[in-house]
């Protein structure tokens, strides 16, 4: 059930309705130890304020109006209400996004911040710090904002080249933004018919069976990891891909073993029959011998007379016993024949009830590979790069509710978030110097003959992608145009985490047509590849635009391969897949096409993070942790100033519970703004 009213608003804010969070306890120590009544008052004020905000996120929720609207007795301690209001505002639970301001932003600036990168996280942190009264400059290398949110727009065609899906509505900050900005959210129809490598539809029943097998395999992998603690092979951590292939091999082996056992059963039954036939043959021979014996005895029979009384008796006795032996043998033969018949039937039954020949036919395996490709898409990497133990560590934080796409293009969100912030486009940061006194950021202006500019500030927020950070901490300078130097170098713990966590890849091919030739009622259809290795190549087509646009996904191994192939070849591959499915004559030439290459994009260097083999969720925390400059030798420096962090980090790769998403990147921006305010603006 979906909550509404105050409970709904608290749920939407990702907070527990009737409990203080550890963060709240830390910020309100007086309440935390005040007993049940104090807790109740706090929760009531906090929940009421959240409700007021979620109900109307288009207008700033000021302290004054909140206090006025609070029912007695909760308005009786204005100071507490003010503290709760400030807490919620500082930590991005109220008054975030784009809304009408009722109270002016402090005009005296309380410190200067450079935000590096104008992706969704940089814009979030910029917006927040700006409204907290800090002086904010955002430096962005591209000639646009949004980073990995990038919308292709031409004529009536709209297609998202980066993020495209708002994954779940309840608890998602994008839901609040959608009320503030004109986001046209359209639920995705999840049904996804599959077409085989030959272009023919995969029968629904077959599809269901393989999907169930896919889910069983994932469950088995989870069991292996979490119940049997099979996470290391020798000293090496195991990947999800290894575990899955291992389970498939085991299943295959189990089938082979069953088949071997079955063969043994057949051989045993056949051996019995052969032995039985030998026995039958011996019986028949004995019958023949006895018959001959009897015949000769009868032939030689001597009539009875007075002088042969004894020999006559013995002759009759021999004939009689031979007759009895013969009758016994004939009976035995009849019984043996019945037994033989039974044995034949048994053999037939064994032969007919053999186990299946293989665990998966080669065709079934390819359908299974389609599901693996889909998983490789979600994780932006091959399954054998994912940590078996931690790949799905964020599962519990998935939002519930519809998955939706932004029909008017996702870029409307970052564009709206530029409101009132000083953003310097075409400014590629080259060097980040940080000391106990502040930061100096050297940026190259890519428009004005590459002139260098130095920006000084109290602190910097680095939202460079994990891919760009990886280039910065590995010594690959010479190869890459976008190399950012940290001075002093980032501390070792940060560098190690940057190296450990994975940064994946995912590409899209946009095909704009003059008419729809696919089923207009389905948002998705899948194409089963013809080999395991190519399973991610255009495995899924999206039709979500109101114009005739298809979006093909290239995931897994194929995502990297397409980057070194020309557009013509890639479009050609798409067209042949589509013609295979819909028929040569039904598929027109596309009017416009776009192929993404996120790995080669120097400002991204990939698509999004994943938990690689050897990494874990805690690496996200390390990537989020701010950096304090090494202790200064300057004796005039106060100890307090020395301990202030000067480098802060936000972005999709810094948020353990919501990584690899737009909402996660956005929340990381809100988080860092709160953290910076706590360090630099004091406690309200
Ligand atoms: O890359 P950013 O947008 O990262 P973020 O803020 O963490 O958001 O911003 C970094 C900025 C960029 O603007 C760079 O140009 C800039 O830094 N920069 C520099 C610089 N070097 C870099 N600026 C100055 N100087 C320098 N030297 C790729 C992709 C992603 C997703 C999906 C599909 C694809 C193909 C679909 C999807 C999705 C989601 C989705 C991930 C998000 C990403 C977020 C990061 N998706 N997320 N639903 N993502 O599967 O929620 O459907 O895009 O997490 O945008």
């Amino acid at each position: 059930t979906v909550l509404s009213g105050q409970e709904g608003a608290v749920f939407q804010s990702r907070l527990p309705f009737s409990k203080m969070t550890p963060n709240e306890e830390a910020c309100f120590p007086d309440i935390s130890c005040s007993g049940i009544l104090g807790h109740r008052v706090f929760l009531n004020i906090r929940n009421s304020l959240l409700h007021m905000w979620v109900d109307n996120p288009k207008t700033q929720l000021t302290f004054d109006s909140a206090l006025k609207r609070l029912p007695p007795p909760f308005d009786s301690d204005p100071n507490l209400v003010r503290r709760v209001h400030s807490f919620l505002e500082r930590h991005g639970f109220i008054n975030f996004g784009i809304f009408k301001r009722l109270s002016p932003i402090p005009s005296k600036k309380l410190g200067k911040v450079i935000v590096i990168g104008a992706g969704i996280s940089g814009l979030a942190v910029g917006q927040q710090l700006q409204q907290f009264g800090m002086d904010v400059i955002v430096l962005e290398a591209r000639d646009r904002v949004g980073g990995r949110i990038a919308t292709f727009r031409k004529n009536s065609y709209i297609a998202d080249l980066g993020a495209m899906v708002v994954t779940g509505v309840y608890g998602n900050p994008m839901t609040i933004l959608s009320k503030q900005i004109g986001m046209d959210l359209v639920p995705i129809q999840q049904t996804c018919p599959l077409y085989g490598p030959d272009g023919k539809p995969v029968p629904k029943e077959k599809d269901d069976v393989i999907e169930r097998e896919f889910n069983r395999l994932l469950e088995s992998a989870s069991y292996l990891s979490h119940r049997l603690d099979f996470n290391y092979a020798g000293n090496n951590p195991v990947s999800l891909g290894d575990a899955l292939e291992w389970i498939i091999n085991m299943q295959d082996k189990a089938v082979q073993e069953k088949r071997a056992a079955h063969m043994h059963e057949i051989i045993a039954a056949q051996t019995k029959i052969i032995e039985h036939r030998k026995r039958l043959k011996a019986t028949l021979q004995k019958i023949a011998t006895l018959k001959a014996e009897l015949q000769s005895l009868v032939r030689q029979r001597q009539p009875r007379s007075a002088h042969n009384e004894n020999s006559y008796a013995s002759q009759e006795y021999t004939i009689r016993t031979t007759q009895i032996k013969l009758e016994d043998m004939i009976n035995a033969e009849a019984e043996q024949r019945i037994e033989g018949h039974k044995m034949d039937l048994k053999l037939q039954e064994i032969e007919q009830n053999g186990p299946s020949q293989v665990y998966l036919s080669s065709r079934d395996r390819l359908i299974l590979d389609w599901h693996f490709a889909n998983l490789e898409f979600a994780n932006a990497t091959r399954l054998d790069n994912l940590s078996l133990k931690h790949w799905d560590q964020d599962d519990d934080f998935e939002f519930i509710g519809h998955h939706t796409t932004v029909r008017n293009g996702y870029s409307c969100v970052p564009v709206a978030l530029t409101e009132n912030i000083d953003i310097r486009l075409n400014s590629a940061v080259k060097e980040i110097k940080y000391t106990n006194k502040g930061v100096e950021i050297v940026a190259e202006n890519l428009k004005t003959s590459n002139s260098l500019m130095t920006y000084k500030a109290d602190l910097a927020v680095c939202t460079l992608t994990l891919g760009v950070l990886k280039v910065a901490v590995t010594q690959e300078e010479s190869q890459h145009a976008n190399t950012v130097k940290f001075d002093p170098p980032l501390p070792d713990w940060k560098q190690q985490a940057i190296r450990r966590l994975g940064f994946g890849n995912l590409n899209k091919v946009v095909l704009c047509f003059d008419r729809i030739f696919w089923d207009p009622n389905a948002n998705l259809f899948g194409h089963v590849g013809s080999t395991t290795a190519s399973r991610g190549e255009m495995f899924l087509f999206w039709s979500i635009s109101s114009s005739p646009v298809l979006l093909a996904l290239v995931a897994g191994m194929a995502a990297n391969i397409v980057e070194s192939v020309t557009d013509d070849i890639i479009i050609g591959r798409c067209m042949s897949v589509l013609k295979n499915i819909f028929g040569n004559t039904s598929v027109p030439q596309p009017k416009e096409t776009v192929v993404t290459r996120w790995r080669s994009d120097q400002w991204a260097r990939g698509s999004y993070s994943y938990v690689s083999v050897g990494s874990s969720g805690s690496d996200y925390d390390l990537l989020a942790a701010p950096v304090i400059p090494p202790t200064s030798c300057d004796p005039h420096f106060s100890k307090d100033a020395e301990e202030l962090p000067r480098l802060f980090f936000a972005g999709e790769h810094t948020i353990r519970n919501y990584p690899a998403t737009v909402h996660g990147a956005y929340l990381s921006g809100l988080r860092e703004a709160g953290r910076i305010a706590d360090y630099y603006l004091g406690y309200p």
Side-chain angles (χ1 to χ4, degrees):
T1 54
V2 172
L3 304 171
S4 59
Q6 205 177 76
E7 273 181 287
V10 178
F11 189 76
Q12 172 58 47
S13 310
R14 302 166 303 284
L15 290 174
F17 184 76
S18 44
K19 221 170 68 192
M20 290 177 83
T21 64
N23 193 20
E24 287 173 330
E25 303 228 17
C27 293
F28 294 87
D30 50 328
I31 305 287
S32 174
C33 56
S34 74
I36 187 125
L37 202 65
H39 273 80
R40 283 225 185 114
V41 172
F42 171 87
L43 290 171
N44 218 295
I45 296 172
R46 178 253 259 170
N47 293 348
S48 302
L49 263 56
L50 290 173
H51 190 192
M52 292 174 200
W53 164 250
V54 170
D55 251 12
N56 179 22
K58 285 186 143 180
T59 309
Q60 183 186 8
L61 178 65
T62 61
F63 161 67
D64 291 334
S65 80
L67 186 63
K68 255 186 232 144
R69 287 158 65 193
L70 267 180
F74 301 109
D75 57 351
S76 60
D77 182 353
N79 191 40
L80 178 62
V81 178
R82 182 186 295 282
R83 283 171 64 208
V84 175
H85 179 270
S86 300
F87 170 85
L88 292 176
E89 186 170 79
R90 175 162 290 190
H91 293 101
F93 292 109
I94 61 169
N95 297 339
F96 63 86
I98 298 301
F99 52 90
K100 185 169 161 230
R101 288 207 71 88
L102 301 177
S103 67
I105 289 170
S107 56
K108 183 178 169 291
K109 292 300 167 196
L110 303 165
K112 191 164 175 178
V113 183
I114 305 291
V115 177
I116 301 164
I120 192 85
S121 63
L123 294 168
V125 84
Q127 278 290 345
Q128 291 291 95
L129 291 178
Q130 168 105 341
Q131 72 153 328
F132 295 163
M134 295 186 94
D135 196 357
V136 177
I137 295 180
V138 182
L139 301 177
E140 169 56 53
R142 301 180 198 264
D143 59 1
R144 60 169 181 85
V145 297
R148 281 170 278 167
I149 300 177
T151 307
F152 166 77
R153 295 173 196 275
K154 191 160 182 188
N155 307 324
S156 64
Y157 299 127
I158 297 178
D160 270 308
L161 305 174
M164 173 168 73
V165 182
V166 178
T167 49
V169 189
Y170 301 102
N172 196 328
M174 293 301 124
T175 304
I176 300 292
L177 289 183
S178 75
K179 291 183 186 171
Q180 302 172 327
I181 307 166
M183 275 172 92
D184 184 7
L185 292 182
V186 184
I188 302 167
Q189 269 256 227
Q190 295 287 355
T191 46
C192 178
L194 290 189
Y195 295 91
D198 53 1
K200 301 218 167 66
V202 173
K204 181 86 180 70
E205 310 77 60
K206 172 61 91 191
D207 190 4
D208 289 346
V209 168
I210 305 286
E211 187 172 355
R212 251 179 277 135
E213 195 55 36
F214 166 73
N215 288 323
R216 256 206 296 267
L217 285 169
L218 280 185
E219 276 164 27
S220 306
S222 164
Y223 186 85
L224 262 186
S225 170
H226 302 294
R227 292 295 188 84
L228 305 183
D229 198 24
F230 170 78
N231 291 298
Y232 284 85
N235 282 331
N236 300 321
V238 176
S239 75
L240 175 65
D242 288 342
L244 288 171
E245 291 301 335
W246 190 74
I247 296 163
I248 291 173
N249 283 339
M250 292 293 284
Q251 301 274 38
D252 236 353
K253 222 175 117 198
V255 171
Q256 298 307 329
E257 271 164 11
K258 269 194 208 147
R259 285 191 62 205
H262 182 237
M263 283 310 292
H264 277 126
E265 226 184 324
I266 292 177
I267 290 168
Q270 277 172 342
T271 314
K272 263 192 182 166
I273 289 173
I274 290 167
E275 276 163 7
H276 174 264
R277 286 200 184 134
K278 272 190 204 153
R279 277 202 306 279
L280 183 63
K281 205 171 154 194
T283 308
L284 288 171
Q285 242 160 20
K286 272 190 194 149
I287 289 175
T289 317
L290 285 170
K291 268 188 185 160
E293 237 175 60
L294 191 62
Q295 266 169 10
S296 109
L297 284 174
V298 171
R299 235 183 289 119
Q300 292 161 20
R301 193 179 213 169
Q302 300 286 325
R304 188 178 191 175
S305 63
H307 62 269
N308 71 354
E309 206 49 54
N310 273 351
S311 68
Y312 178 80
S314 131
Q315 165 197 292
E316 284 309 303
Y317 178 78
T318 312
I319 290 175
R320 188 64 203 131
T321 49
T322 310
Q323 262 172 347
I324 290 170
K325 273 188 197 160
L326 180 61
E327 278 160 21
D328 283 353
M329 271 301 141
I330 289 170
N331 285 340
E333 187 222 334
E335 266 169 34
Q336 279 176 346
R337 281 195 192 277
I338 292 170
E339 199 189 336
H341 185 64
K342 278 189 193 159
M343 284 179 166
D344 286 342
L345 287 179
K346 175 88 183 150
L347 177 63
Q348 252 179 35
E349 191 193 307
I350 295 175
E351 279 174 339
Q352 279 164 6
N353 292 323
S356 58
Q357 293 292 302
V358 282
Y359 165 53
L360 287 172
S361 71
S362 52
R363 195 181 149 85
D364 291 356
R365 171 67 214 231
L366 292 175
I367 302 173
L368 181 66
D369 275 322
W370 184 88
H371 289 277
F372 286 156
N374 203 25
L375 197 58
E376 295 187 316
F377 149 57
N379 289 284
T381 193
R382 295 159 49 167
L383 300 183
D384 48 12
N385 286 332
L386 289 172
S387 158
L388 171 62
K389 190 163 185 187
H390 303 289
W391 70 279
D392 56 352
Q393 57 91 32
D394 58 333
D395 258 18
D396 291 345
F397 301 91
E398 245 173 48
F399 297 135
I400 54 167
H402 273 306
H403 284 212
T404 64
T405 58
V406 190
R407 187 161 275 181
N408 52 332
Y410 218 145
S411 71
C412 67
V413 177
V415 167
L417 288 174
T418 59
E419 192 178 282
N420 295 328
I421 346 185
D422 182 353
I423 300 171
R424 314 284 169 90
L425 296 177
N426 306 303
S427 301
V429 169
K430 296 259 117 192
E431 203 173 342
I432 301 170
K433 293 186 209 167
Y434 57 105
T435 68
N436 313 107
K437 296 193 181 102
V439 297
E440 272 184 40
I441 312 294
V442 182
E444 184 180 340
N445 189 312
L446 302 176
K447 272 283 156 69
T448 59
S449 63
N450 298 357
S451 57
L452 290 181
M453 273 281 280
T454 300
Y455 298 84
K456 289 189 182 180
D458 296 303
L459 63 114
V461 187
C462 173
T463 77
L464 295 171
T465 72
L466 180 55
V468 174
L469 288 174
K470 277 179 186 287
V471 175
V473 301
T474 50
Q475 310 301 312
E476 303 177 56
E477 274 107 300
S478 50
Q479 300 168 22
H480 293 294
N482 178 24
T483 308
V484 182
K485 186 177 167 213
F486 287 88
D487 180 16
L490 288 171
D492 204 45
W493 54 266
K494 179 75 93 179
Q495 293 205 21
Q496 299 290 348
I498 290 172
R499 289 204 183 92
R500 269 193 307 265
L501 200 67
F503 198 57
N505 196 17
L506 162 66
N507 279 307
K508 295 183 177 179
V509 184
V510 178
L511 303 158
C512 306
F513 295 98
D514 56 8
R515 61 190 152 87
I516 291 179
F517 54 85
W518 54 92
D519 175 3
N521 300 313
N523 284 140
L524 304 161
F525 57 89
H527 147 245
V528 177
S530 51
T531 63
T532 292
S534 68
R535 66 190 179 194
E537 195 195 15
M538 293 120 203
F539 79 99
L540 185 63
F541 287 81
W542 292 72
S543 154
I544 44 171
S545 166
S546 37
S547 13
V549 177
L550 279 182
L551 236 150
L553 291 190
V554 189
M557 196 142 71
N560 287 339
I561 294 173
V562 291
E563 300 223 357
S564 53
V565 176
T566 63
D567 280 18
D568 284 353
I569 292 176
I570 298 165
I571 306 291
R573 285 285 303 135
C574 283
M575 295 304 286
S576 83
V577 168
L578 290 173
K579 284 180 176 167
N580 208 10
I581 296 173
F582 297 102
N584 275 342
T585 50
S586 313
V587 183
Q589 272 307 107
K591 296 283 168 208
E592 298 288 342
T593 60
V594 188
V595 180
T596 69
R597 288 181 180 77
W598 284 104
R599 183 69 83 200
S600 316
D601 180 327
Q602 61 170 323
W603 313 119
R605 296 239 158 268
S607 61
Y608 44 85
S609 62
Y610 65 87
V611 187
S612 59
V613 182
S615 175
S616 72
S618 56
D619 279 336
Y620 285 104
D621 291 340
L622 290 175
L623 287 173
V627 168
I628 301 171
T631 315
S632 159
C633 307
D634 183 349
H636 303 294
F637 231 76
S638 85
K639 189 86 190 89
D640 282 356
E642 277 186 13
E643 275 164 6
L644 273 180
R646 298 285 170 173
L647 265 189
F648 294 80
F649 294 83
E652 154 278 309
H653 54 289
T654 69
I655 185 150
R656 183 180 192 150
N657 295 350
Y658 309 99
T661 58
V662 170
H663 57 260
Y666 185 76
L667 289 173
S668 77
L670 301 186
R671 176 198 68 213
E672 285 315 300
R675 189 185 337 245
I676 291 164
D678 281 353
Y679 274 117
Y680 284 83
L681 307 180
Y683 291 92

